[in-house]
Amino acid sequence: MQIKEINIRKMKMKMKSPFSTSFGTFQDKEFLLLEVTDELGNTGWGESTAFHSPWYNEETLETNLHMIRDFLIPLVLDKEFAHPDEVNELFAPLRKNNMAKATVEGAIWDLYAKRNQMTLAQALGGTAEKIEVGISIGIQKSTEDLIELVRGYVAEGYKRMKVKIKPGFDVDVIKALREAYPNVPLMADANSAYTLDDIDVLKQLDEYNLTMIEQPLASDDIIDHAKLQKELKTPICLDESIHSLEDARKAVELGSTKIINIKIGRVGGLTESKKIHDYCMEHNIPVWCGGMLESGIGRAHNVALTTLPNFILPGDTAGSSRYWEEDVITPEVVAADGYITVPTSYGIGYEPNFAAMDRYTVDTFNFKA
Ligand code: OSB
Ligand code: MG
């Protein structure tokens, strides 16, 4: 397949409710969508998961735009690819900027699947027909608010609750939740809010039967996490610290992580995600698919990836309606009783909803071979 045209849309969509983590609060989601077109007129879509500001990782929407326009598009435009794995190799000499790479690579995966009349899940080697979904709940004003929210999500059937914690909003909150819901699968995500000095607080969380604690320590650390894991019963799951198969291997060898959260953007695309998945499967490390508050395009990629067999734990990919009044795909992603049914049409399996997309597009860029 030959990439003949690339269109980028800069998007701005208002979230239904603000989402708060230990590093900040989101109300508007600004992101990029990218469409590739081949010589036969087939198209494929990708989404950048970089945020407006560099608080989750160092990338931003603008650094992604710069990387994609000035470095990645010149590498792919008018080029011939037999398989999307070639894109991963082609981008490898450019350091980091994984979310930028994943945007372009993801669109080429979708294109490849459509061109070959396969679902993206099939193109990746996935087999699951439905996937289990959990929900990630932002930091709330009070523990009472959180308990009420969780009540609703339990009733909706989500397969596990993930709550954000930070110093001062941790042990008491988890204790109250566990008392309210003794049997609900529960985990905590710290988004790097702690250091080894907080070990006594983190150890107290061992009391509450959490399925895991996600990224308690620094976003670039795998050494202190190994020290911490030796002191904790609760499995550590790394998110921010894992950018590649090599990072995953090192973290697993050091004992820094017992579970890995795979985010397609953070690791530079679907090919790298699959490599991490396969490595973890061989080493008995369960994985799950993280979320970045994606619109329907990125969400569809997450759904497809999650059909691989070692995605044993429920992911963060809830249905579109949890985030958006109106999504940019049709149909929207629907979670029912804690499951998303994997679509069976080719590629990502959902069509772009151009009318909706146009409503949230703030800028466009066109590149032709
Ligand atoms: O750490 O997983 C995270 C949202 C923004 C940035 C980082 C994270 C998150 C979430 C929400 O936890 C996941 C989602 O619902 O998409
Ligand atoms: Mg996380």
Side-chain angles (χ1 to χ4, degrees):
M1 55 191 168
Q2 236 177 350
I3 310 300
K4 286 296 183 191
E5 186 173 349
I6 296 181
N7 282 293
I8 299 176
R9 289 170 181 254
K10 199 193 267 191
M11 308 291 293
K12 185 171 181 174
M13 276 164 80
K14 197 177 180 65
M15 300 195 62
K16 259 191 186 170
S17 52
F19 191 90
S20 295
T21 71
S22 60
F23 47 72
T25 299
F26 297 82
Q27 176 60 260
D28 289 311
K29 176 90 203 283
E30 292 172 71
F31 60 97
L32 303 175
L33 292 177
L34 184 144
E35 181 189 28
V36 294
T37 306
D38 71 4
E39 81 284 9
L40 305 175
N42 298 300
T43 62
W45 286 84
E47 174 169 338
S48 157
T49 57
F51 294 121
H52 172 269
S53 317
W55 45 18
Y56 169 80
N57 70 349
E58 74 286 358
E59 298 184 77
T60 71
L61 170 112
E62 290 295 334
T63 70
N64 273 212
L65 195 53
H66 163 55
M67 281 302 299
I68 292 169
R69 292 168 68 160
D70 298 333
F71 295 98
L72 305 180
I73 287 180
L75 286 175
V76 300
L77 204 57
D78 219 17
K79 298 286 157 48
E80 177 78 33
F81 297 98
H83 191 276
D85 285 346
E86 294 165 15
V87 181
N88 178 279
E89 255 169 75
L90 184 68
F91 290 169
L94 300 173
R95 298 206 196 275
K96 295 275 188 81
N97 294 286
N98 284 349
M99 291 173 171
K101 292 174 180 174
T103 309
V104 178
E105 191 246 29
I108 295 176
W109 266 102
D110 179 27
L111 170 68
Y112 169 81
K114 285 182 179 135
R115 204 180 147 113
N116 291 283
Q117 305 197 323
M118 290 185 272
T119 66
L120 179 58
Q122 287 164 343
L124 290 164
T127 51
E129 289 170 6
K130 55 182 190 169
I131 61 166
E132 284 193 332
V133 295
I135 190 156
S136 173
I137 309 166
I139 288 173
Q140 302 299 315
K141 287 204 184 69
S142 71
T143 306
E144 292 68 41
D145 288 356
L146 182 58
I147 288 176
E148 273 321 293
L149 262 182
V150 168
R151 192 179 309 286
Y153 295 138
V154 170
E156 284 180 59
Y158 285 103
K159 300 293 182 206
R160 66 98 172 104
M161 305 294 145
K162 159 167 145 183
V163 296
K164 298 286 187 178
I165 56 168
K166 63 178 182 182
F169 192 84
D170 44 36
V171 179
D172 294 347
V173 177
I174 297 295
K175 180 172 189 285
L177 272 173
R178 192 37 102 206
E179 280 166 6
Y181 310 102
N183 300 314
V184 163
L186 183 65
M187 61 174 287
D189 185 359
N191 287 111
S192 301
Y194 298 89
T195 71
L196 280 183
D197 291 342
D198 302 308
I199 197 154
D200 292 337
V201 174
L202 296 168
K203 273 172 116 162
Q204 288 178 52
L205 295 175
D206 272 344
E207 295 292 302
Y208 305 106
N209 190 27
L210 300 179
T211 49
M212 70 194 89
I213 176 166
E214 187 178 345
Q215 195 74 35
L217 308 179
S219 65
D220 57 357
D221 171 76
I222 56 171
I223 304 290
D224 285 357
H225 280 99
K227 289 185 189 160
L228 178 62
Q229 183 67 88
K230 287 193 181 70
E231 304 292 321
L232 289 188
K233 279 189 281 175
T234 308
I236 292 176
C237 168
L238 289 179
D239 172 356
E240 283 89 331
S241 292
I242 305 296
H243 309 99
S244 61
L245 169 62
E246 273 299 277
D247 283 356
R249 177 184 68 74
K250 289 169 188 167
V252 168
E253 284 183 10
L254 275 173
S256 326
T257 195
K258 290 185 176 165
I259 297 170
I260 290 182
N261 164 339
I262 299 182
K263 287 183 181 168
I264 302 167
R266 193 189 68 230
V267 305
L270 285 164
T271 296
E272 198 71 19
S273 297
K274 202 169 137 58
K275 288 185 191 175
I276 295 171
H277 164 275
D278 294 353
Y279 171 85
C280 287
M281 194 155 148
E282 263 170 50
H283 292 81
N284 291 315
I285 302 287
V287 303
W288 55 278
C289 185
M292 291 290 278
L293 313 170
E294 290 93 342
S295 82
I297 299 290
R299 197 160 296 281
H301 284 259
N302 289 346
V303 170
L305 179 66
T306 304
T307 63
L308 292 172
N310 195 38
F311 281 85
I312 291 168
L313 295 157
D316 277 347
T317 302
S320 303
S321 67
R322 170 193 178 9
Y323 308 85
W324 316 112
E325 295 295 347
E326 172 187 49
D327 206 341
V328 297
I329 52 166
T330 181
E332 299 197 343
V333 176
V334 177
D337 201 25
Y339 291 97
I340 291 173
T341 301
V342 180
T344 51
S345 19
Y346 300 144
I348 59 172
Y350 302 87
E351 291 301 315
N353 176 345
F354 286 107
M357 239 180 226
D358 287 347
R359 273 191 275 284
Y360 309 110
T361 300
V362 294
D363 211 347
T364 59
F365 308 88
N366 172 264
F367 308 84
K368 278 203 175 92

